[in-house]
Amino acid sequence: MASLKYWLWLTGRKGIGTLTVVRLLEAFGTPESAYFADQGEYDRVEALSAVGKQSLADKSLTGAEQILADCDRLGLRLLTLQDAEYPERLRNIPDPPLLLYVKGKLPPIDEELVVGVVGTRDPTPYGEKLAREMVHDLTRAGCVICSGIAQGLDTIALRTALNEGGSVISVVAGGIDVPYPKENRYLYDDIAAAGVLLSEYPPGSPNLGEHYRPRNRIISGLSEGVLVVEGGLTSGTLITAHAALEQGREVFAVPGNVDAPKSTAPNRLIQAHEAQLVRTAADILEEFSSRYPLKVARPALTQEEKEQRLQGAQSTPMAEPKLPTPEKPLMPFQEQRSLTDDQRELILALETRARHPDELVEETQIPARRVLSTLTLLQVRGYIKEEAGKRFSALVRLN
């Protein structure tokens, strides 16, 4: 905690932006060393303006200590740019936040497939439907959903992911203790309990319009890909998409009618070849499946799922014999080696005949959530196909 007050002191200096703070850290190593430096030592930092030098002469720590007291009272943690837990993915963007206020449990961002979901605050029924369906399927496939917490599509994305028991990250444009909009105060609590709230603004900070552009670059910076559902040409949705492109992230867009005002942003991104057109979550999962085969295909078991699996194992019914079907090609050995246990088990179950997901859950005792996500991935990879009546059959066979 002692070093944090110097971070707060340094980042609170007038006339000193992110780039200048980075230069000061390069020169002095730590904010504490910068704090105790002589005034003349600041002259060697070329990026430092006269206003910045004057601001560094103020050694008062009162404001920093008050922020730390507020964090302690509110149960907030502070992450600095130099902390090991600070996401490397975010650290590598051109202008990373120097400090992050954290409430909740921060997942290991760099190991997760994080998908940012952005869209208008006033969605159409079409946008609401697509957002729910895609976030539902992405969450079931093991993705972490990242969004703001505005009304409209942000709220729909976060609520859908939470309802599926998924992991969520919400980046807010003010203090974490200042819910905005006010009607989302309970959503703040739910995210803090089941996911994580992040902000680069200290407790008590209002949600100002000037905060949204900086907030958006954190959403895209934490994400591997950003999904644009609906939005106008002057909306924050498009700003986030462009931030994602500048950061080298994948951008996906849901198309809409050419004359639909709410689809202007995604349609323009698709037309400009800045975003991939997507219609289902499978289109996004296909893009990342090779990079995150285990994360996407095998989300961690919840305690409830573990108990269900155990109970099922104690009363597993006699399974039907799994006979090879010569008309189906043998999957190459190298591809078989890349299969997860769930994928292998489902292919074996589907070799003999087409089955409904409910049948697969009963036969394999794999939880429904994982069966559905694994079926999606197997479809994407061309190992199975969907038939009439939502039944699936294998297109290949195993040894």
Side-chain angles (χ1 to χ4, degrees), residues 184-200:
N184 271 355
R185 62 188 182 278
Y186 298 119
L187 181 56
Y188 271 68
D189 294 338
D190 291 343
I191 293 170
V196 66
L197 291 162
L198 298 177
S199 177
E200 62 180 325

Side-chain angles (χ1 to χ4, degrees), residues 341-360:
D341 291 342
D342 285 358
Q343 291 170 343
R344 176 178 292 277
E345 198 164 351
L346 291 187
I347 290 175
L348 287 170
L350 295 172
E351 281 184 5
T352 55
R353 65 179 178 85
R355 285 174 167 79
H356 189 276
D358 291 344
E359 295 178 82
L360 292 169

Side-chain angles (χ1 to χ4, degrees), residues 1-13 16-19 21-22 25 30-32 61 63-68 71 76-87 90-91 93 95-103 106 170-176 197-203 205 211 214-215 217-219 222:
M1 292 290 284
S3 65
L4 287 176
K5 66 182 178 182
Y6 298 110
W7 271 98
L8 289 165
W9 168 81
L10 181 59
T11 55
R13 300 303 88 200
I16 298 180
T18 300
L19 178 60
V21 170
V22 171
L25 292 175
T30 66
E32 185 173 359
L61 295 171
E65 290 169 345
Q66 181 59 57
I67 291 174
L68 288 176
C71 289
L76 307 183
R77 292 188 298 124
L78 262 175
L79 273 184
T80 76
L81 188 65
Q82 292 180 335
D83 286 337
E85 193 182 355
Y86 191 101
L90 187 61
R91 185 184 282 120
I93 69 172
D95 54 344
L98 300 167
L99 289 175
L100 283 175
Y101 295 84
V102 182
K103 186 164 189 179
L106 186 68
S170 183
V171 188
V172 301
I176 290 176
L197 291 162
L198 298 177
S199 177
E200 62 180 325
Y201 302 103
S205 299
H211 290 175
R215 185 277 311 267
R217 111 278 193 189
I218 299 177
I219 292 174
L222 291 166

Side-chain angles (χ1 to χ4, degrees), residues 100-117:
L100 283 175
Y101 295 84
V102 182
K103 186 164 189 179
K105 185 177 181 181
L106 186 68
I109 302 292
D110 300 317
E111 301 173 15
E112 299 287 351
L113 174 48
V114 181
V115 178
V117 180

Side-chain angles (χ1 to χ4, degrees), residues 238-258:
L238 203 57
I239 292 172
T240 308
H242 286 149
L245 291 168
E246 290 170 5
Q247 294 164 352
R249 308 300 191 244
E250 300 289 343
V251 178
F252 308 94
V254 176
N257 290 335
V258 293

Side-chain angles (χ1 to χ4, degrees), residues 128-138 160 279-281:
E128 291 184 6
K129 176 179 180 293
L130 265 295
R132 285 195 179 93
E133 289 178 355
M134 297 184 80
V135 171
H136 174 277
D137 291 345
L138 288 170
T160 301
R279 291 169 291 184
T280 67

Side-chain angles (χ1 to χ4, degrees), residues 89-389:
R89 190 181 296 164
L90 187 61
R91 185 184 282 120
N92 288 332
I93 69 172
D95 54 344
L98 300 167
L99 289 175
L100 283 175
Y101 295 84
V102 182
K103 186 164 189 179
K105 185 177 181 181
L106 186 68
I109 302 292
D110 300 317
E111 301 173 15
E112 299 287 351
L113 174 48
V114 181
V115 178
V117 180
V118 295
T120 178
R121 300 184 184 194
D122 184 27
T124 65
Y126 166 80
E128 291 184 6
K129 176 179 180 293
L130 265 295
R132 285 195 179 93
E133 289 178 355
M134 297 184 80
V135 171
H136 174 277
D137 291 345
L138 288 170
T139 303
R140 287 195 165 213
C143 298
V144 176
I145 301 300
C146 181
S147 189
I149 199 168
Q151 62 265 50
L153 289 175
D154 284 9
T155 297
I156 288 170
L158 294 168
R159 276 285 177 214
T160 301
L162 287 171
N163 289 341
E164 287 300 317
S167 181
V168 297
I169 303 168
S170 183
V171 188
V172 301
I176 290 176
D177 62 326
V178 184
Y180 183 84
K182 290 183 178 179
E183 58 265 30
N184 271 355
R185 62 188 182 278
Y186 298 119
L187 181 56
Y188 271 68
D189 294 338
D190 291 343
I191 293 170
V196 66
L197 291 162
L198 298 177
S199 177
E200 62 180 325
Y201 302 103
S205 299
N207 286 260
L208 302 177
E210 63 199 56
H211 290 175
Y212 285 96
R213 185 183 291 267
R215 185 277 311 267
N216 293 345
R217 111 278 193 189
I218 299 177
I219 292 174
S220 57
L222 291 166
S223 305
E224 282 276 40
V226 171
L227 170 63
V228 176
V229 182
E230 286 186 323
L233 286 182
T234 59
S235 66
T237 300
L238 203 57
I239 292 172
T240 308
H242 286 149
L245 291 168
E246 290 170 5
Q247 294 164 352
R249 308 300 191 244
E250 300 289 343
V251 178
F252 308 94
V254 176
N257 290 335
V258 293
D259 59 350
K262 298 297 182 184
S263 291
T264 309
N267 286 348
R268 178 66 61 86
L269 288 166
I270 294 168
Q271 183 183 32
H273 304 289
E274 294 176 323
Q276 297 183 44
L277 184 155
V278 294
R279 291 169 291 184
T280 67
D283 296 330
I284 298 174
L285 294 172
E286 183 176 16
E287 184 68 28
F288 297 110
S289 59
S290 61
R291 277 184 264 174
Y292 294 90
L294 297 180
K295 286 291 180 183
V296 173
R298 300 193 62 179
L301 291 176
T302 64
Q303 186 59 38
E304 182 181 356
E305 287 173 333
K306 289 177 182 177
E307 292 173 359
Q308 290 175 351
R309 188 76 178 256
L310 179 61
Q311 292 172 2
Q314 295 171 348
S315 58
T316 303
M318 183 72 71
E320 296 180 17
K322 301 180 179 69
L323 301 175
T325 49
E327 68 275 10
K328 295 172 182 174
L330 181 67
M331 182 187 292
F333 178 69
Q334 288 300 323
E335 291 186 35
Q336 291 191 39
R337 290 186 61 183
S338 70
L339 294 175
T340 66
D341 291 342
D342 285 358
Q343 291 170 343
R344 176 178 292 277
E345 198 164 351
L346 291 187
I347 290 175
L348 287 170
L350 295 172
E351 281 184 5
T352 55
R353 65 179 178 85
R355 285 174 167 79
H356 189 276
D358 291 344
E359 295 178 82
L360 292 169
V361 170
E362 183 177 353
E363 178 180 329
T364 64
Q365 295 301 305
I366 299 173
R369 169 181 164 186
R370 281 171 40 206
V371 165
L372 292 171
S373 65
T374 304
L375 289 173
T376 298
L377 283 174
L378 290 174
Q379 251 190 301
V380 166
R381 295 175 184 178
Y383 297 152
I384 66 171
K385 67 176 180 178
E386 183 175 358
E387 300 182 354

